[in-house]
Amino acid sequence: MQLDSIRVLDLSRLLPGPYATQLLADAGADVVKVEDTDAGDYARRMPPVTDRGVGALFDGVNRGKRSVALDLKSEAGRDVFYRLVEESDVVFEGFRPGVAERLEIDYETLVEYNEDLVYCSLSGYGQIGPYAERVGHDLNYVGVAGLLDMTREDESMAPQIPGYQIGDLGGGLFAAFSIVGGLLSRELGNGGEYIDVAMTDVVASFSQAISHEALTGGDPRPGETALTGRFPWYDVYETADGRYLTLAALEAKFWKNFCEEIGREDLVEYHGSEDPAELTAVREALTEVFASRSRDAWLEALSDETMVGPVCTPAEALEHPQLEARGLIERPDDAPPRVGFPAVGSNVPESRDESVPGHGEHTDELLAAAGYDEDERAGLREAGIVR
C-alpha cells in the first residue's frame, strides 16, 4: 500500500471525507486539502482543542496533509484549481449534490483538464434519488438505513444513538476503498472514472445478516434475530462490579467450552433451542452466573476458547494491549496520540508525517510547483483569490 506517487485533491471537511483521505495519506498519498480563503475546514476550531491549538477531530484526521486556500467561487480561483487538477490523480468532494456543478468543479468539467482523473463524491444520500438534496448527519443516515431501529433490546425501548458515527466513518472507509479501486482500474487501462458514494447506502450494505428476510416479506425486529439478542449465547451480561461482558458462542463447540468452564454442563444441550421457555431459563441462569464475579475476574478465569470478551469504555479500548500490540495507537514524540492506520502489512508505510497543515500553509509551494511565478502568486494573494 505505497501510494507515494498519488496526489489527492481533497475538498471535504469535518469527519467523513477527511477520514477517507487520512487513510490514503497514511498509505503514502500526497493529500492536498483544498480549503476556502475565509475559515477553511471548521473542524479546525471545534472543541476539544489539542495542545497544538487545533480541534482534536481535525488533528486526528488531517495529519501529513498539505493545505491550499482558494476562492473557488471566483474564476481566477477556479483557474488555479484546474491547474492543480492537471497534475493530480484524484479529486474528492463532500458537498451537497449540485454544489460542485455550480462551482464548475464537477467531474464533467474537470475531466477536460485531466482525462484520467478519478473523481469521488461522498454525500449522505448520494447524487440521485428523492433524498439527494436533503440535509443530514450521521444519525439521519443510520435511521434511514435501518440500523438505528436495530439498536434497541426490543420494541418497547427507544432506538439508541450509536456511540460512533457509523455512517460517517463507514462512508469514508468505502470512499477510500472506491478511490483505490478506481486508481487500480485506471492502471489496468480503463481510464479515469466518477464514483458516487452515499453514506446511507454503505450503512444499508451492512445489513447482510438480516437483508434476505427483509427483502422477502419479513421485517426483522430488534432483539428477535440471532445477532440482536434473541439467543442467550449471543448477548451482553452484567458482572458483579456493574461492568459488562460479551458472550458470542454461536457455534456449538464454543458454547460447550463455555458451559464446561463455568461449571454448567447442564446448559450444553440447550444450544440451538427455539423454545422460548428454555431460552428464558438459560438467559436467567447466565445472568446469575455472570453476576457472581467481576468483569476482570471472569476474563482471568475464562480461556480464549469461550467467545467471551469485555465491554470496554473508549479509554479502556484505546489502551487495550491488543490494540497496542497491533500498533494501532500511535504516540509520536512531537504530536498528540491518535488512532492510526487500521491494517498491518509488509508494505504499509511505518513512518508518517504527523504534522497538521495550517490553513493555506502550502498554498505558495503548490502554486509555485504548478508554474505560477512569484509575482503571479503575490497578485493572487493581494486579490484574495488565494491565502
Side-chain angles (χ1 to χ4, degrees):
M1 289 186 283
Q2 294 282 353
L3 301 180
D4 303 52
S5 63
I6 300 300
R7 176 184 284 182
V8 179
L9 297 181
D10 179 10
L11 292 151
S12 69
R13 56 194 177 189
L14 289 176
L15 177 60
Y19 175 67
T21 56
Q22 184 65 67
L23 295 172
L24 300 176
D26 285 346
D30 174 20
V31 176
V32 178
K33 284 185 69 70
V34 182
E35 305 182 70
D36 61 57
T37 54
D38 183 16
D41 185 343
Y42 36 87
R44 289 179 175 277
R45 297 167 298 283
M46 290 175 59
V49 174
T50 71
D51 56 10
R52 296 205 279 195
V54 296
L57 178 63
F58 184 89
D59 195 306
V61 293
N62 287 287
R63 299 200 185 184
K65 302 178 183 180
R66 297 192 285 172
S67 170
V68 57
L70 301 176
D71 177 10
L72 292 175
K73 294 181 180 179
S74 69
E75 182 177 353
R78 289 192 295 274
D79 287 341
V80 174
F81 184 69
Y82 298 152
R83 188 85 67 90
L84 295 175
V85 168
E86 292 174 353
E87 302 300 322
S88 298
D89 302 281
V90 177
V91 168
F92 178 69
E93 60 95 1
F95 298 121
R96 289 177 64 187
V99 172
E101 286 82 357
R102 290 197 294 274
L103 290 174
E104 298 180 34
I105 56 171
D106 56 296
Y107 176 70
E108 295 301 328
T109 298
L110 299 188
V111 76
E112 297 297 321
Y113 296 90
N114 185 340
E115 63 180 9
D116 290 326
L117 188 68
V118 174
Y119 190 113
C120 182
S121 296
L122 175 65
S123 60
Y125 302 107
Q127 303 298 305
I128 59 174
Y131 271 29
E133 298 288 339
R134 184 180 288 249
V135 297
H137 275 309
D138 186 89
L139 189 61
N140 305 116
Y141 312 144
V142 300
V144 173
L147 171 64
L148 198 61
D149 179 61
M150 300 298 285
T151 61
R152 38 195 181 145
E153 187 173 334
D154 57 54
E155 289 189 289
S156 69
M157 301 178 64
Q160 301 297 300
I161 299 175
Y164 297 154
Q165 290 74 35
I166 306 299
D168 287 355
L169 297 168
L173 179 61
F174 196 82
F177 163 79
S178 299
I179 288 169
V180 172
L183 291 169
L184 175 58
S185 178
R186 187 183 71 175
E187 291 303 306
L188 293 174
N190 299 313
E193 64 181 292
Y194 174 74
I195 305 164
D196 170 12
V197 177
M199 289 177 258
T200 303
D201 291 357
V202 175
V203 178
S205 78
F206 293 163
S207 69
Q208 301 300 328
I210 58 174
S211 60
H212 175 76
E213 181 183 354
L215 291 168
T216 55
D219 192 12
R221 297 289 76 221
E224 297 180 10
T225 70
L227 301 180
T228 61
R230 177 183 182 186
F231 298 120
W233 41 83
Y234 194 89
D235 211 338
V236 178
Y237 292 93
E238 186 174 1
T239 56
D241 55 347
R243 309 301 299 278
Y244 292 88
L245 285 170
T246 56
L247 173 64
L250 288 173
E251 296 86 356
K253 66 177 182 179
F254 294 116
W255 173 246
K256 181 175 182 292
N257 292 342
F258 169 74
C259 291
E260 290 175 348
E261 291 196 23
I262 66 170
R264 291 299 305 266
E265 291 87 345
D266 59 304
L267 300 178
V268 172
E269 65 179 290
Y270 296 108
H271 192 271
S273 173
E274 296 282 349
D275 183 273
E278 292 181 347
L279 295 178
T280 297
V282 172
R283 180 170 279 111
E284 290 176 350
L286 294 185
T287 298
E288 182 178 348
V289 167
F290 279 115
S292 67
R293 300 186 189 184
S294 69
R295 184 195 69 173
D296 291 347
W298 275 118
L299 292 172
E300 181 69 25
L302 296 174
S303 76
D304 292 342
E305 299 299 317
T306 57
M307 286 284 186
V308 171
V311 175
C312 296
T313 67
E316 287 177 324
L318 299 181
E319 293 178 353
H320 198 283
Q322 176 60 32
L323 273 62
E324 289 282 356
R326 297 279 297 172
L328 180 64
I329 310 306
E330 300 179 355
R331 293 185 171 85
D333 294 335
D334 56 351
R338 69 153 174 157
V339 179
F341 192 71
V344 176
S346 60
N347 202 27
V348 176
E350 293 184 0
S351 60
R352 303 184 180 98
D353 180 0
E354 294 294 333
S355 64
V356 293
H359 183 201
E361 177 182 346
H362 304 93
T363 300
D364 200 60
E365 71 178 62
L366 285 162
L367 265 61
Y372 290 90
D373 63 32
E374 187 173 349
D375 290 339
E376 289 173 317
R377 300 197 302 272
L380 289 169
R381 282 195 299 272
E382 289 171 6
I385 302 303
V386 304
R387 170 173 170 168

